[in-house]
Amino acid sequence: MSRPLPDELAGALRELARRPRLLVALDFDGTLAPEVDDPEKARALPEAREAVLRLNALPNTRIAMVSGRALDSLIHVTELPDDVLLVGSHGIELRLDNPDDALALNAQEQEDVEVLHEVLGEVADSLDDVWLEQKPAGFALHTRLASDRASRVAHLVALSEAQAELDNLTVRHGKNVLEFSVRSTTKGEAVEHLRRYVKADAVFYAGDDVTDEDAFAALEPHDVGLKSGDGATEAAYRVHGPAEVAAALAALATFREGDVHEQ
C-alpha cells in the first residue's frame, strides 16, 4: 500500500503536466522495481508499469529508462514498447528511435577491459557470494549476497588493485555494487542528451541510487526530481519507495490526461 503523495509533490506534478513537451526519465531498480537478489528477475510494480504506459500513450510525452544496467538486461527486465527510449550503462549505451548504433570500444579500451576482467575476476573468485557482471565498457562487482565483511574486503581490494593497474578508470559506488568502466559517462549527461533529443520543455526524473544524483543535479528549475528511498539527495522531492513512485507517475498521467482533454 503506497502512502499519500505530499501536497507539495502533487502540486509540482500538476504544474509539470501542463508543459507542452515532457520527458519522463526513470531509473529502474529501486525506483520502479523493488530490489531483488537476482537482478534478472527484477520487474516493475504492476501499478508503476501501468502508469508508465499511460504516460507513453499521451501526445508530446516521451518516456526514457535511464539505468546502470547493460542495455540487453534493461530491455529484458523492463518489457516496454519499442518507442520507450532506453539508456543503459549510465549513458554508454542508447536505444533511441534509431537503435542501430552500437558501442564501439577502441583498441586501448578493449585492452583495459581485459586487464579489468583479470583483476576483478580474482577478487570475485576469492570471496564467497561476490560475483562479477560484465558491462559493455567494464564490470560491476556485486556484493549484495555477501557478508558485510566480505563486501567491505571486496570493495577495498577491487578498488585498490584496479586503480593500481589502470589510469582514468571511472568508478561508481552503488547499493551493494561497485562499477568500473573504461569509458566515462553519467546519468546527468544522459538526461541532458535526452532533453535535447526530444526537445523537452521540462523533465521529470525519478531515481534511488547515488548514481542518480548526477541526473538530479542536471535538472533545471522547472523540472521535477523525485528521490525514491533514503539517503542524501539533490532531488527536490522524496518518497518512500517504488509504490510511491508509481503513485506519483499515476498522478502525473492523470493530470496530463486532463490537460490534453481540456485542449
Side-chain angles (χ1 to χ4, degrees), residues 13-183:
L13 294 174
R14 188 182 297 274
E15 289 299 317
L16 192 70
R18 299 191 177 107
R19 292 286 178 172
R21 297 185 64 84
L22 179 63
L23 169 65
V24 178
L26 307 164
D27 175 49
F28 185 74
D29 298 284
T31 302
L32 297 185
E35 298 279 0
V36 294
D37 289 339
D38 184 351
E40 292 309 301
K41 293 183 179 178
R43 292 295 184 275
L45 293 177
E47 54 269 36
R49 178 179 172 79
E50 178 185 357
V52 167
L53 293 176
R54 285 173 60 194
L55 285 163
N56 194 53
L58 291 171
N60 299 317
T61 307
R62 295 303 303 266
I63 306 296
M65 305 303 302
V66 182
S67 175
R69 286 178 178 265
L71 187 59
D72 286 346
S73 174
L74 187 60
I75 292 170
H76 172 70
V77 297
T78 56
E79 300 176 328
L80 289 170
D82 289 344
D83 60 339
V84 171
L85 308 173
L86 298 182
V87 177
S89 303
H90 303 281
I92 292 176
E93 297 181 287
L94 300 174
R95 189 191 78 178
L96 304 180
D97 295 312
N98 296 307
D100 296 331
D101 293 335
L103 174 68
L105 298 181
N106 61 40
Q108 183 59 58
E109 288 172 331
Q110 291 174 11
E111 290 181 15
D112 289 346
V113 166
E114 292 177 5
V115 172
L116 195 57
H117 189 198
E118 182 176 349
V119 170
L120 298 180
E122 290 181 0
V123 175
D125 291 342
S126 68
L127 295 165
D128 292 335
D129 296 321
V130 175
W131 57 280
L132 200 61
E133 176 192 4
Q134 185 163 5
K135 296 293 187 75
F139 297 89
L141 189 73
H142 291 272
T143 61
R144 180 175 299 159
L145 303 180
S147 66
D148 289 343
R149 179 185 177 280
S151 180
R152 288 195 299 271
V153 170
H155 284 217
L156 288 171
V157 174
L159 189 61
S160 174
E161 296 193 0
Q163 290 182 329
E165 291 288 340
L166 297 171
D167 295 326
N168 300 319
L169 189 63
T170 297
V171 181
R172 298 184 180 88
H173 299 259
K175 291 181 179 178
N176 302 306
V177 62
L178 197 59
E179 296 192 35
F180 299 82
S181 177
V182 300
R183 182 175 291 181

